[in-house]
Amino acid sequence: MSKRQPARKKKNQIEIATQRITYLMELADQSCLEENLELANSCTKLARNIGMKYNIRLSSENRMKICRSCNFYLNPSTSKRRLTNNKTVAITCNNCDRVYRFPYGQK
């Protein structure tokens, strides 16, 4: 007997999930400006969990705001350091000391 295939997610479920992810990331930005980092961290964890459940990728700007190893919100003023070299940007998480390097400039 063959195994049953998992049900696909409906389109309206995926649309609701993307709306929730964008709302949570905006809420994290606002709470970070108000210096409420606990709320910002919980919002980023929720947004990431919703994205994993419904198989939705976060946008590139939202991915750069979340540490991949500890799910910490990377606040420009308190929780990350940014260094620019010749052709790369290095972002360091102050919570777990992980370094992310991104290329920039023209090829």
Side-chain angles (χ1 to χ4, degrees):
M1 189 172 239
S2 65
K3 291 185 179 181
R4 185 178 149 205
Q5 292 183 354
R8 292 186 179 222
K9 307 289 185 198
K10 294 181 181 176
K11 287 185 179 181
N12 64 357
Q13 287 179 337
I14 292 174
E15 290 174 6
I16 291 170
T18 53
Q19 290 172 359
R20 287 181 181 170
I21 288 172
T22 54
Y23 174 74
L24 284 169
M25 292 307 293
E26 289 172 1
L27 184 64
D29 291 337
Q30 291 172 358
S31 62
C32 185
L33 291 175
E34 297 169 359
E35 296 182 7
N36 190 357
L37 291 178
E38 294 177 7
L39 180 62
N41 290 332
S42 65
C43 287
T44 55
K45 286 179 186 178
L46 282 172
R48 209 171 135 133
N49 288 338
I50 290 171
M52 286 190 283
K53 181 176 180 179
Y54 291 98
N55 198 11
I56 299 170
R57 299 185 100 192
L58 295 175
S59 65
S60 61
E61 64 181 30
N62 287 339
R63 266 187 270 139
M64 290 182 72
K65 293 178 184 177
I66 301 174
C67 179
R68 292 180 200 145
S69 63
C70 66
N71 292 334
F72 200 72
Y73 182 78
L74 296 177
N75 181 15
S77 61
T78 59
S79 63
K80 76 175 182 180
R81 288 189 311 255
R82 180 178 229 160
L83 302 171
T84 55
N85 291 339
N86 193 10
K87 295 182 181 180
T88 60
V89 175
I91 297 174
T92 305
C93 175
N94 288 343
N95 191 32
C96 65
D97 291 331
R98 181 165 174 170
V99 178
Y100 302 99
R101 291 181 178 86
F102 300 102
Y104 78 95
Q106 299 200 6
K107 292 182 179 181

